[in-house]
Amino acid sequence: MSKQTVSRRVTVPSLRARKGSEKIVCLTAYTAPMAQLLDPHCDLLLVGDSLGMVVHGFSTTVGVTLDMMILHGRAVVRGSSHALVAVDLPFGSYERSPEQAFAAASRTLCETGAQAVKVEAADGVADSIAFLTGRGIPVIGHVGLRPQAVHLEGGFKARGRSAEERERVLAEARATDAAGAIAIVVEGVTPELAAEITVAVSCPTIGIGASNACDGQILVSEDMLGVFDTTPKFVRRYADLRTTISDAAAGYAAEVRSGVFPSEAEEYRLKSHS
Ligand code: KIV
């Protein structure tokens, strides 16, 4: 194999080795151009099933299909060369059995070129994580607020605020870790619980709305970039793309209507013949 074809991406072992040391930087990506922009700054790009809400206008992630994940996963792999790329397995594609999870995960890795899949740690999913890990598929778990359980929970609410729930989330994280997960996304929990999970598990934790106690952080890129008018409490906006995009569209519309755009500089000319 020539040097040019050796992948320079972050590897699973190097990601795992970051436990308790240098913080892991993660963002979501769904398209090739966005992946290209984010890739140099990130250790991990997640093709999250949040794409159903962010890109396709769904009200939850529940209607996202495996075909959608694979289409966007391919685009993100094509647009990146540095970060490890992980793709969410969508609701209904993995919960029934380890065999069902293997079919969805192997198809995802083969058809996208991504390095890992992510699953929410619903009841019994630890068995599937162990099954996939044993067959060479790196799996990221997801505990705490689990968006795919939105209907059961009655909304997107923080988890682990009562003693009973706290024990349940901690047990899910321990089971996910013991099953061989390469990392665990911890979403929407108190700083105390995030710290307890991070100490209790051997793999890195990646927090979202889960304080600075985790080994890394992830945000939905469009939230962080200020694309939406409202964002959850835990999001910090690093840009105001909503204003930038709407000002640009207004400027373009005004210049098209007044005839200022396009100008001569933006026209093709006849080739000159000598
Ligand atoms: O779907 C997603 O984007 C996620 C992250 C927010 C962790 O699961």
Side-chain angles (χ1 to χ4, degrees):
M1 190 184 279
S2 78
K3 264 192 177 163
Q4 281 82 354
T5 58
V6 174
S7 172
R8 291 178 188 280
R9 286 184 189 274
V10 172
T11 62
V12 168
S14 68
L15 192 83
R16 283 200 66 121
R18 300 271 287 273
K19 172 83 185 169
S21 60
E22 196 191 341
K23 293 271 188 187
I24 300 169
V25 180
C26 319
L27 283 169
T28 61
Y30 317 118
T31 65
M34 190 63 97
Q36 221 163 20
L37 289 170
L38 304 176
D39 184 50
H41 309 284
C42 291
D43 302 304
L44 185 149
L45 289 175
L46 174 69
V47 187
D49 60 354
S50 51
L51 66 83
M53 300 168 78
V54 175
V55 178
H56 295 275
F58 296 179
S59 58
T60 74
T61 60
V62 171
V64 174
T65 65
L66 191 58
D67 286 342
M68 289 165 77
M69 296 309 304
I70 287 173
L71 191 68
H72 287 279
R74 264 193 213 134
V76 170
V77 169
R78 276 197 294 265
S80 61
S81 58
H82 163 74
L84 188 150
V85 176
V87 179
D88 265 351
L89 294 188
F91 176 71
S93 72
Y94 64 94
E95 302 90 332
R96 192 168 59 233
S97 64
E99 289 77 9
Q100 187 207 19
F102 183 79
S106 57
R107 196 183 147 208
T108 301
L109 294 201
C110 291
E111 293 186 24
T112 64
Q115 288 75 54
V117 295
K118 177 166 81 61
V119 296
E120 295 188 9
D123 228 15
V125 167
D127 289 346
S128 295
I129 295 174
F131 192 84
L132 299 188
T133 304
R135 284 153 184 78
I137 299 183
V139 184
I140 298 174
H142 185 148
V143 304
L145 192 168
R146 290 191 279 109
Q148 292 175 7
V150 59
H151 298 310
L152 187 69
E153 307 290 359
F156 299 109
K157 295 178 192 155
R159 293 279 148 239
R161 288 170 127 169
S162 69
E164 189 195 340
E165 241 189 23
R166 199 175 152 129
E167 280 313 310
R168 185 161 58 82
V169 175
L170 188 57
E172 282 168 358
R174 283 202 165 108
T176 301
D177 184 46
I182 61 162
I184 302 178
V185 168
V186 181
E187 178 164 0
V189 304
T190 60
E192 294 78 13
L193 180 53
E196 209 173 344
I197 292 171
T198 300
V199 169
V201 300
S202 63
C203 66
T205 54
I206 298 168
I208 172 162
S211 86
N212 205 12
C214 297
D215 298 303
Q217 296 293 323
I218 185 162
L219 285 175
V220 167
S221 296
E222 284 73 2
D223 281 343
M224 178 278 283
L225 293 169
V227 171
F228 302 116
D229 53 352
T230 58
T231 45
K233 171 187 165 67
F234 59 79
V235 171
R236 186 176 299 172
R237 290 185 186 188
Y238 290 85
D240 182 11
L241 284 198
R242 193 177 170 77
T243 305
T244 305
I245 292 169
S246 110
D247 286 354
Y252 168 74
E255 293 196 347
V256 169
R257 288 189 182 110
S258 66
V260 170
F261 175 82
S263 68
E264 279 186 9
E266 285 126 357
E267 289 170 356
Y268 289 109
R269 300 269 151 222
L270 287 175
K271 278 185 182 158
S272 55
H273 297 283
S274 52

